[in-house]
Each structure stands twice: as C-alpha cells, then as structure tokens.
Amino acid sequence: MTPLAPSLSIRDEERRQRAGHGGAVVWITGLSGAGKTTLADALQRTLFDLGCQVFALDGDKVRNGLCADLGFSLPERAENIRRIGEVAHLFCQAGQIVIVSAISPMRADRARVRALVPAPQFIEVYCRCPLAVCEARDPKGLYRRARAGQLAEFTGISSPYEAPEAAEVVVDSAAASVDDGVGKVLARLRQMKIIKAAQYQGE
Ligand SMILES: Nc1ncnc2c1ncn2[C@@H]1O[C@H](COP(=O)(O)OS(=O)(=O)O)[C@@H](OP(=O)(O)O)[C@H]1O
Ligand SMILES: Nc1ncnc2c1ncn2[C@@H]1O[C@H](COP(=O)(O)OP(=O)(O)O)[C@@H](O)[C@H]1O
C-alpha cells in the first residue's frame, strides 16, 4: 500500500490555490481606544465576505486564555507579543489571513514578529490616534482608572508606547472613517498580491 504523503508535501502554492489567496499577518498596533479592535472587526468582516479565510486575534481576548498568566510589565508584554506572533505565523503558514490587534507598544517586540513572517506577508498597520482622543473615547473606562491611580503601567499614561516608524499602512482613526482604514489595508493586500485584484477593486 502506498504510504500517505506527509503533510510537509503540501506546498504553499497548493494552499494558495485552494484558498484563492495567500497567507498574511495584518498586525494592528496602537494605543488603547485607538480603534484597533473596531478596524480588525470591520476588516475581518470584509475579507470574510470576499470569500477569504480570515481570523482575528485580539490581544484583549488572547489574554483570557493563551496569555492569561501575563500582566502588563514590559517583559510580560514582550512575551505576550511573542506568543501572539508565533500563533499568527502558524495561521499564516496554514494559508490564513490573520488580523492581530494588540497594543504591542515596543518596536523591538514588533520587529521580532516581523522577522518571523516573510516580508510581503507581514503588514504592520499603525492605528494612529492622539492620546487625548483615546482618553476622551475611553470605551472601557481604563484611562479614568489609570489617571485615578487604580491601574498601574497603563500604556500612554504610565507605560511607554513607541509609534511605528515605517508601518506598511497608517490609519488615522481620529480623522478617517473605519471604512477608510479597511480600504487602505485591502489596497496593501492587493498590492502585495495576497488577495487578487478581482477580490477588491475599490481604493
Ligand atoms: N495596564 C494596561 N495597559 C494597557 N492595556 C491594559 C492594561 N490593563 C488592562 N489593559 C487591557 O488590555 C488590553 C491590551 O492588551 P494587549 O495584549 O493588546 O497589550 S500588549 O500588546 O501586551 O501591550 C487593552 O485592550 P485595548 O483597549 O483593546 O487596547 C486593555 O483593555
Ligand atoms: N475611524 C475609527 N476607527 C476605529 N475606531 C473608531 C474610529 N472612529 C471612532 N472610533 C471609535 O473608537 C473606539 C475604539 O475602540 P476599540 O476599537 O475597542 O479600540 P482599541 O481596540 O484600540 O482599544 C470605538 O468606540 C470606535 O467606535
């Protein structure tokens, strides 16, 4: 009897043909309240409706399970990003478009994930929003608690955020709509030939 082929014999191109698109990691970084989750959700919906295999990994949710043992010190955030990066990389190898939304405040931590994922497949998205706007939005009341001294090491208040210097996509969530942000990421996915031009025509 012919032995079953090991799964290693499945080439990336075969996965791409079956899915109709390539794998990618769309990594959304930004302050709490900048709009990362909102953008990730809208992007996931759009890609799903286009027929793509897409999955969103939100930092907040991952912290309920995979990273439940981690707090918010800089070394713990680094470990959080390392784990999310490894998982995203695996999904990407499986041919999925993975959307990560995590504050991921330190450049070095993001650079390590970038080094893991082949260049055209890693798309860093800076969800840019002034701290004052994030604080005014305060969707979870965390800034209020941080200002009151009830939440230690809060990003932007008592813990650093290093903005990307060369993100593939920059989305200004205080000035542009969620749809604008989705459009910019889709344009990049098309430009990098992750999705086909026919899968997304607008810009
Ligand atoms: N101290 C402190 N600093 C920042 N954020 C805090 C903190 N404590 C709790 N939270 C909540 O945790 C969410 C951020 O988790 P992340 O995994 O994205 O953070 S990180 O990437 O490891 O920095 C973050 O989610 P978002 O508001 O969606 O960004 C907060 O809801
Ligand atoms: N252009 C925009 N993009 C994303 N979010 C926006 C935008 N404009 C306003 N918002 C609002 O900002 C808030 C951001 O919350 P959220 O997406 O949870 O941010 P984060 O995940 O970065 O903490 C939401 O209430 C969202 O409706």
Side-chain angles (χ1 to χ4, degrees):
M1 198 169 92
T2 316
L4 286 173
S7 61
L8 284 177
S9 72
I10 303 172
R11 291 175 290 108
D12 288 352
E13 188 49 37
E14 290 179 85
R15 292 190 196 279
R16 172 184 271 274
Q17 270 173 18
R18 179 165 294 180
H21 60 80
V25 175
V26 177
W27 189 283
I28 307 175
T29 173
L31 292 169
S32 177
K36 303 181 298 299
T37 309
T38 305
L39 174 62
D41 190 46
L43 182 61
Q44 175 169 234
R45 182 76 247 173
T46 303
L47 287 168
F48 186 84
D49 290 346
L50 287 171
C52 297
Q53 293 188 19
V54 57
F55 189 67
L57 277 173
D58 189 80
D60 227 2
K61 300 206 175 64
V62 172
R63 280 177 173 278
N64 289 327
L66 179 68
C67 299
D69 56 323
L70 300 175
F72 289 91
S73 69
L74 291 183
E76 287 171 297
R77 289 180 198 252
E79 173 60 10
N80 184 43
I81 298 315
R82 190 192 69 78
R83 288 186 202 170
I84 298 173
E86 290 287 350
V87 172
H89 183 214
L90 290 172
F91 269 90
C92 178
Q93 286 177 317
Q96 299 256 332
I97 298 174
V98 196
I99 305 165
V100 174
S101 46
I103 296 176
S104 44
M106 306 308 282
R107 283 190 198 115
D109 298 336
R110 298 193 300 265
R112 267 190 287 276
V113 183
R114 182 183 284 276
L116 205 60
V117 182
Q121 290 172 289
F122 185 79
I123 299 172
E124 186 175 29
V125 179
Y126 178 23
C127 189
R128 185 163 63 190
C129 187
L131 177 65
V133 175
C134 295
E135 199 164 348
R137 286 179 181 166
D138 206 6
K140 301 174 200 158
L142 297 177
Y143 283 96
R144 190 184 46 74
R145 286 176 55 204
R147 289 290 186 196
Q150 294 161 358
L151 204 53
E153 299 182 290
F154 194 75
T155 308
I157 307 290
S158 45
S159 186
Y161 179 78
E162 297 178 343
E165 287 170 328
E168 278 76 12
V169 178
V170 179
V171 170
D172 276 304
S173 86
S177 69
V178 179
D179 283 351
D180 280 345
V182 170
K184 278 186 159 185
V185 180
L186 289 178
R188 179 74 191 187
L189 287 167
R190 187 181 63 172
Q191 187 192 350
M192 291 295 107
K193 303 201 180 339
I194 306 285
I195 61 174
K196 294 178 195 142
Q199 272 172 314
Y200 172 66
Q201 296 292 354
E203 273 208 54

